[in-house]
Amino acid sequence: KGDARPNLWNSGTHRLDNTLSYALERAWCFAVRPHTNDVAVGFDEDVVVVKLGRDEPALSMDPASKLVYTRNTDVLSTNLQAAVDVETPEGQRVHLPVREYILNYNVTR
């Protein structure tokens, strides 16, 4: 009986190394980026990309094609639906409008 959470196994020791739990229902597919530590996991209603060795997702996409990611200390988002209207040859980079979020927080001691 599975619990629908992706498990990461250590290929050297053949032991469970980590379990990815994002409360996103069932995981359906995985994709790996060659020569990097990036792993994408497709869930019922979301996609999560993690960089192995990090605890937080590198980016996340919701069902409406809104992509949220971080670059250094900035939280950025874009909508992949904007790329549908643009004719781009396969293999070329797609330039998308990026929105930057400003996070305000107070630290109390």
Side-chain angles (χ1 to χ4, degrees), residues 1 6 9-10 17 19 22 26 28-29 34 38 40 45 48 60 62 64 69 71 73 75 80 89 96 98:
K1 178 180 173 185
W9 297 85
N10 185 317
D17 209 28
T19 298
Y22 296 109
R26 297 170 294 196
W28 289 97
C29 61
D38 298 336
E45 295 186 14
V48 174
S60 180
D62 68 6
Y69 60 101
R71 183 182 301 145
T73 59
V75 178
L80 298 180
L96 299 169
V98 175

Side-chain angles (χ1 to χ4, degrees), residues 32-96:
V32 211
R33 191 172 181 193
H35 311 294
T36 69
N37 291 340
D38 298 336
V39 176
V41 183
F43 292 92
D44 280 339
E45 295 186 14
D46 208 345
V47 174
V48 174
V49 178
V50 294
K51 183 176 279 294
L52 297 180
R54 295 174 55 164
D55 290 334
E56 67 277 352
L59 59 95
S60 180
M61 185 173 71
D62 68 6
S65 299
K66 179 181 176 184
L67 184 69
V68 178
Y69 60 101
T70 60
R71 183 182 301 145
N72 299 324
T73 59
D74 300 324
V75 178
L76 307 168
S77 77
T78 190
N79 193 328
L80 298 180
Q81 289 293 341
V84 173
D85 299 332
V86 179
E87 187 68 32
T88 305
E90 187 173 333
Q92 295 295 315
R93 289 183 182 235
V94 177
H95 297 284
L96 299 169

